[in-house]
Amino acid sequence: MRQFIGLSTFHLKLFAKNSYFFWLMITSTISLLFLQYLAAYAGNSLSDPYLWRRAAIFGLWSCGTTACGSIGFERAQGTLLYLLNNRVSDRVSLAAVIVPAASFGLLCFPLAFGVGSLLQLNKTISSVWQLLFWMGALWIGAMILDFAIAGLFVLTPRALVYEEIVTLPLLFGSGLFQLPPTLQWIEQLERWVVPIASPIQALTGQPSYQTFVLPYAVSLLGWSAISYYLSTTLINQAKRKGRLGGIGL
C-alpha cells in the first residue's frame, strides 16, 4: 500500500505540472458552468441549485477520461514499456497512473462552487455529508471505469485520439443531461450498469439512499471484476504483441 501511494503521488505531481491536464480541469468545468448560466439566465431558472454540480461532475469525468490519453502519453515518452515491466504488479503500476486523473478532477468541485459563488448562483446544500458521500462514490466509480478503459487502450498507440469517444457517451444516459421522458428508462438502466450513473443522479437531484446505493454497488462490483480481467489479459496481450512502445516510439 505504501508503494502504491508513493507511485500515485509521483504521478499526481507529474499530472499537476502538465499544463494540458491542468487547463483541462479548469476549462471543462468553467465552460459548462458558463453555458448553463447563459441558458438558465435566458430561461429565468438561475435558482437551480445543481448548475455548479453538473459543471463539477463534467470536469471530474473529463479529467478521469484522460486515463485513456495517459497511456498514450506514457507510450510517447517511452516509459510505458518500463512502467509495466518492473517488480511492481502491472495492475498496481497501471492504477498508479490512473488514480491521479480522477483525483485531480476532485478539484472541479471547489472550482465550480467558487465560480458559482461569483456568478451568484443558487448553491443550496441540503446535506454536506450526503454531498461528500456521493462525491466520493463518483470518484471511486470514475477510477474503476478509468481502469477498465485504460486497460483497453494499452493495446493501441492511438489512445489520445480515442480519448474523447468515452467522455460524452457514458454521460449521456447517466443523468447529467436531462433526457426526454420517453428515454428516461436509460437512466434507470445505467444505474445498474455504469458506476458513475448513480452518483451523478444523486448529485443532480435529491434521491433517497435506498434508491441508488444498491445499483451503485452492483455496477461497481461488476466493473471491478471487468477491470481486473482486462488489466491481466490485455496487458499480457500487449506485451506479447510488443505494443508497449519504447524510446522514440
Side-chain angles (χ1 to χ4, degrees):
M1 178 59 70
R2 182 180 300 177
Q3 193 174 40
F4 173 74
I5 293 174
L7 286 171
S8 298
T9 302
F10 171 75
H11 286 292
L12 181 60
K13 291 178 180 178
L14 293 179
F15 196 96
K17 290 179 181 178
N18 189 290
S19 59
Y20 169 77
F21 299 122
F22 176 78
W23 285 106
L24 175 68
M25 181 267 294
I26 294 178
T27 56
S28 60
T29 303
I30 294 180
S31 60
L32 186 62
L33 185 62
F34 281 164
L35 284 173
Q36 290 185 103
Y37 176 80
L38 291 175
Y41 184 82
N44 196 26
S45 58
L46 289 174
S47 59
D48 185 354
Y50 304 114
L51 294 178
W52 72 276
R53 295 191 189 185
R54 293 190 189 97
I57 292 168
F58 183 76
L60 185 147
W61 181 237
S62 296
C63 289
T65 54
T66 57
C68 309
S70 66
I71 299 302
F73 182 65
E74 295 290 344
R75 180 186 275 110
Q77 290 186 117
T79 55
L80 183 62
L81 176 65
Y82 307 103
L83 186 67
L84 298 178
N85 285 281
N86 52 57
R87 293 180 297 175
V88 182
S89 167
D90 291 341
R91 286 187 294 272
V92 172
S93 297
L94 191 62
V97 178
I98 295 167
V99 168
S103 300
F104 198 68
L106 285 171
L107 294 175
C108 296
F109 279 88
L111 174 63
F113 187 88
V115 176
S117 299
L118 294 176
L119 295 175
Q120 297 183 336
L121 295 176
N122 183 359
K123 303 176 296 304
T124 302
I125 299 176
S126 58
S127 172
V128 174
W129 291 111
Q130 185 175 344
L131 174 64
L132 293 176
F133 173 83
W134 286 114
M135 282 174 56
L138 176 64
W139 174 62
I140 294 172
M143 284 194 296
I144 295 298
L145 275 179
D146 292 341
F147 197 74
I149 293 168
L152 287 170
F153 286 113
V154 164
L155 291 175
T156 174
R158 299 180 179 86
L160 281 169
V161 178
Y162 300 132
E163 181 180 311
E164 292 301 321
I165 295 177
V166 299
T167 302
L168 291 180
L170 285 176
L171 290 177
F172 176 75
S174 295
L176 184 63
F177 308 115
Q178 187 174 6
L179 296 177
T182 55
L183 295 178
Q184 288 184 355
W185 60 270
I186 296 177
E187 295 181 3
Q188 299 176 9
L189 177 63
E190 283 210 20
R191 293 178 197 169
W192 298 90
V193 178
V194 181
I196 63 172
S198 290
I200 288 176
Q201 293 175 35
L203 287 167
T204 55
Q206 295 186 9
S208 58
Y209 276 77
Q210 54 267 36
T211 304
F212 290 94
V213 171
L214 181 58
Y216 172 73
V218 170
S219 62
L220 192 66
L221 289 174
W223 276 97
S224 296
I226 293 172
S227 299
Y228 185 89
Y229 171 79
L230 289 176
S231 64
T232 301
T233 305
L234 297 182
I235 291 175
N236 289 338
Q237 185 178 348
K239 287 181 177 180
R240 288 196 302 271
K241 293 185 177 181
R243 293 184 178 179
L244 297 183
I247 298 298
L249 296 179

